[in-house]
């Protein structure tokens, strides 16, 4: 199998594997919280409503911050190994700090102070456990990025070099997001109400992180394509490198928001929203066209890697659904989580495929040809599509986001469509459980020597 990750550098230190495990546990735990969300949000079930807000905070942060950033951490650890220096203190420090932060955030509902602030990008539980965990997570990201600053950037001559450059740019994008968080904090006007304070704190950096997630998704798409015996030719390689760089360049423009506007002043938030509307989709859409064409040419995937092929396909389908629903957003209704789920679940399925691809390199059994792994993205993806459609249509009837008591105007239709959302959500939960089972099978059937 051709892999864009050089296997020797993946396993030169235990850190890439540990990051993958951190991401895996975050994803699995977040799945449990999504059951609470679905039960509270589905009118036909209408249970556990009092837990909705807290479950939402943990669900979003474990997924959008920990799961995605842990997989980014895996890529950077690989890059650090590839640079020839293992940077053991940085790698260990980054991993354990991030893991401690993630654990605190997951445990934060145990603190009886359940003041939930449903800020965009990073909703928070306003208690010391959660905020301490979030601070540690950001600190872990800073330490993870430091070796990239010192190491020489990779050369893009070979295919693997181009891929490594894409990972390097991913680091640059997360650095831009972190700078946005810091600049916002430094220039924050005093005396803001607590909820607006958090909303403003995470606005610019949160937008930056969206570019990191699409970069991560594009890297996963490329790794999966290459494994399906479809490495690009020289010309395509150049174009793909340019698309990955374009995304990094677009993210860099975010910094201008701080030159033109005062934090919290007129036009500040709008700048970042407009920047996202104009730029966030460009690179991933170009890349998605390339991947779709390659998938078309592959037609019948090699049996041993059919799960990778299905992950790619479902990731593209969800990406398209998220994009279309994004165009329909008007107001603060559930069309917004419909768009989020299309887009972020597209990244998630691509990363699930990446996990299937990398498990054998980490010494576990190959599962990419198994029937269970093939059907897993189908169930997860189809469930999420229903979830997205249910939310999007209900949004059209004015059902409010993040509010389990809202049924909108056309109550009967909206309730029925929120039922569809719940059904899709439960199917996706089953797809999530299947992912855990597939990974468990891979780990449990590996030869003892391979477990490392
Ligand atoms: C089994 C799969 C999943 C289910 C059943 C599920 C379910 C839900 C539900 C019911 C909500 C509340 C929507 C509302 O009432 O406003 C929600 C919110 C959210 N979920 Fe998920 N989710 C799943 C997977 C994911 C994944 C994989 C991600 C990202 C990686 C994600 C990111 C989010 C975000 C960002 C929100 C907040 C949306 C907003 O701000 O309006 N979810 N989820």
């Amino acid at each position: 199998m051709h892999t864009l990750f050089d296997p020797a550098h993946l396993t030169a230190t235990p850190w890439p594997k540990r990051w993958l495990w951190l991401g895996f546990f975050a994803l699995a735990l977040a799945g449990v919280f999504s059951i609470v969300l679905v039960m509270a949000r589905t009118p036909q079930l209408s249970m556990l409503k009092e837990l909705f807000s807290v479950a939402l905070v943990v669900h979003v942060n474990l997924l959008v911050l920990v799961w995605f950033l842990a997989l980014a951490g895996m890529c950077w650890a690989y890059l650090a190994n590839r640079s020839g220096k293992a940077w053991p203190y940085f790698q260990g420090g980054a991993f354990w700090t991030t893991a401690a932060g993630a654990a605190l955030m997951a445990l934060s509902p145990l603190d009886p102070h359940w003041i939930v602030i449903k800020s965009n990008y990073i909703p928070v539980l306003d208690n010391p456990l959660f905020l301490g965990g979030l601070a540690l997570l950001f600190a872990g990201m800073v330490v993870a990025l430091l070796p990239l600053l010192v190491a020489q950037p990779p050369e893009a001559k070979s295919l693997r070099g181009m891929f490594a450059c894409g990972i390097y740019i991913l680091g640059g994008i997360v650095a831009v997001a972190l700078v946005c968080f810091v600049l916002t904090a430094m220039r924050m006007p005093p005396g803001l109400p607590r909820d607006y304070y958090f909303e403003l704190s995470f606005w610019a950096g949160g937008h930056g992180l969206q570019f990191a997630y699409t970069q991560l998704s594009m890297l996963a798409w490329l790794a999966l394509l290459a494994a399906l015996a479809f490495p690009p030719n020289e010309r395509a390689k150049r174009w793909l490198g340019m698309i990955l760089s374009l995304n990094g360049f677009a993210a860099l423009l975010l910094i201008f928001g701080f030159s033109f506007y005062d934090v919290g002043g007129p036009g500040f938030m709008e700048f970042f929203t407009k920047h996202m509307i104009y730029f966030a989709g460009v690179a991933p859409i170009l890349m998605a066209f390339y991947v779709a064409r390659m998938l078309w040419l592959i037609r019948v995937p090699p049996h041993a890697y059919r799960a990778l092929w299905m992950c790619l396909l479902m990731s593209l389908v969800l990406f398209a659904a998220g994009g279309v629903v994004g165009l329909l957003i008007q107001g603060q209704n559930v069309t917004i989580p419909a768009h989020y789920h299309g887009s972020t679940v597209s990244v998630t399925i691509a990363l699930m495929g990446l996990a299937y691809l990398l498990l054998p390199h980490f010494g576990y059994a190959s599962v990419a040809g198994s029937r269970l792994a093939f059907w897993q993205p189908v169930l997860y993806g189809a469930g999420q599509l229903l979830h997205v459609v249910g939310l999007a249509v209900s949004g059209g009837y004015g059902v409010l986001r993040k509010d389990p008591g809202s049924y909108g105007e056309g109550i009967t239709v909206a309730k029925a469509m929120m039922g569809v959302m719940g059904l899709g959500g439960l199917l996706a939960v089953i797809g999530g459980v299947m992912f855990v089972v597939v990974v468990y099978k891979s780990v449990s059937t590996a030869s003892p020597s391979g477990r490392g």
Side-chain angles (χ1 to χ4, degrees), residues 39-391:
M39 290 177 106
R41 212 51 177 114
T42 309
Q44 294 76 2
L45 298 173
S46 208
M47 291 152 79
L48 306 175
K49 280 187 176 186
E50 61 289 356
L51 297 181
F52 178 85
S53 298
V54 172
L56 184 76
V57 171
V58 184
H59 171 78
V60 173
N61 285 296
L62 283 186
L63 285 166
V64 178
L65 282 183
V66 185
W67 157 241
F68 285 169
L69 290 178
L71 272 277
M74 178 188 79
C75 295
W76 300 328
Y78 161 75
L79 212 56
N81 291 349
R82 194 177 181 273
S83 75
K85 301 185 187 122
W87 311 96
Y89 293 114
F90 283 102
Q91 295 223 48
F95 176 81
W96 290 114
T97 313
T98 309
L104 284 186
M105 286 162 82
L107 292 173
S108 61
L110 297 180
D111 185 321
H113 296 98
W114 278 16
I115 303 164
V116 174
I117 296 175
K118 297 176 191 167
S119 31
N120 276 294
Y121 298 114
I122 307 182
V124 300
L125 255 183
D126 194 1
N127 67 35
L129 224 50
F130 181 90
L131 296 176
L134 186 61
L136 280 178
L137 185 123
F138 281 142
M141 285 297 111
V142 173
V143 182
L145 288 172
L146 286 179
L148 299 194
L149 282 180
V150 189
Q152 222 172 338
E155 287 187 15
K157 283 184 195 148
S158 66
L159 204 53
R160 278 187 178 156
M162 181 273 285
F163 187 70
C165 279
I167 296 177
Y168 193 80
I169 295 168
L170 168 66
I173 300 175
V174 174
V176 168
L178 291 173
V179 168
C180 288
F181 285 125
V182 172
L183 285 176
T184 309
M186 283 167 56
R187 300 180 182 185
M188 183 70 82
L192 295 179
R194 199 80 175 141
D195 47 357
Y196 185 56
Y197 170 84
F198 282 116
E199 181 71 4
L200 198 54
S201 294
F202 302 135
W203 191 257
H207 275 83
L209 286 177
Q210 311 305 303
F211 287 80
Y213 302 149
T214 51
Q215 184 82 0
L216 196 56
S217 191
M218 290 192 285
L219 290 168
W221 286 347
L222 288 181
L224 294 176
L225 260 189
L228 290 166
F230 243 78
N233 59 27
E234 248 331 283
R235 196 160 139 257
K237 189 194 93 186
R238 266 200 308 279
W239 276 106
L240 296 175
M242 278 164 63
I243 294 173
L244 292 172
S245 311
L246 179 70
N247 202 37
F249 180 70
L252 202 55
L253 297 180
L254 284 168
I255 299 291
F256 284 111
F258 293 88
S259 323
F260 298 147
Y261 302 99
D262 293 330
V263 171
F268 178 77
M269 290 178 104
E270 206 187 340
F271 169 86
F272 294 96
T273 310
K274 286 215 167 125
H275 177 277
M276 181 172 68
I277 292 170
Y278 295 135
F279 296 116
V282 179
I285 287 173
L286 291 173
M287 187 68 85
F289 274 118
Y290 173 78
V291 177
R293 185 173 145 64
M294 291 299 126
L295 272 184
W296 173 254
L297 292 176
I298 294 173
R299 297 213 183 161
V300 184
H303 189 271
Y305 306 125
R306 56 186 178 151
L308 308 186
W309 181 86
M310 187 47 88
C311 283
L312 256 182
L313 183 66
M314 291 313 292
S315 176
L316 281 192
V317 171
L318 265 295
F319 176 74
V324 170
V325 174
L327 298 175
L328 306 176
I329 292 178
Q330 270 176 346
Q332 293 298 317
N333 53 54
V334 283
T335 317
I336 293 179
H339 161 65
Y340 277 5
H341 278 105
S343 306
T344 56
V345 170
S346 159
V347 184
T348 295
I349 297 181
L351 295 179
M352 285 171 162
L354 188 64
Y356 291 155
L357 169 68
L358 295 183
L359 282 170
H361 293 298
F362 289 133
Y364 305 117
S366 174
V367 280
S370 76
R371 190 182 304 182
L372 195 62
F374 177 79
W375 287 106
Q376 183 272 324
V378 177
L379 205 66
Y380 193 77
Q384 280 292 354
L385 263 185
L386 273 183
H387 189 76
V388 166
V389 170
L391 284 170

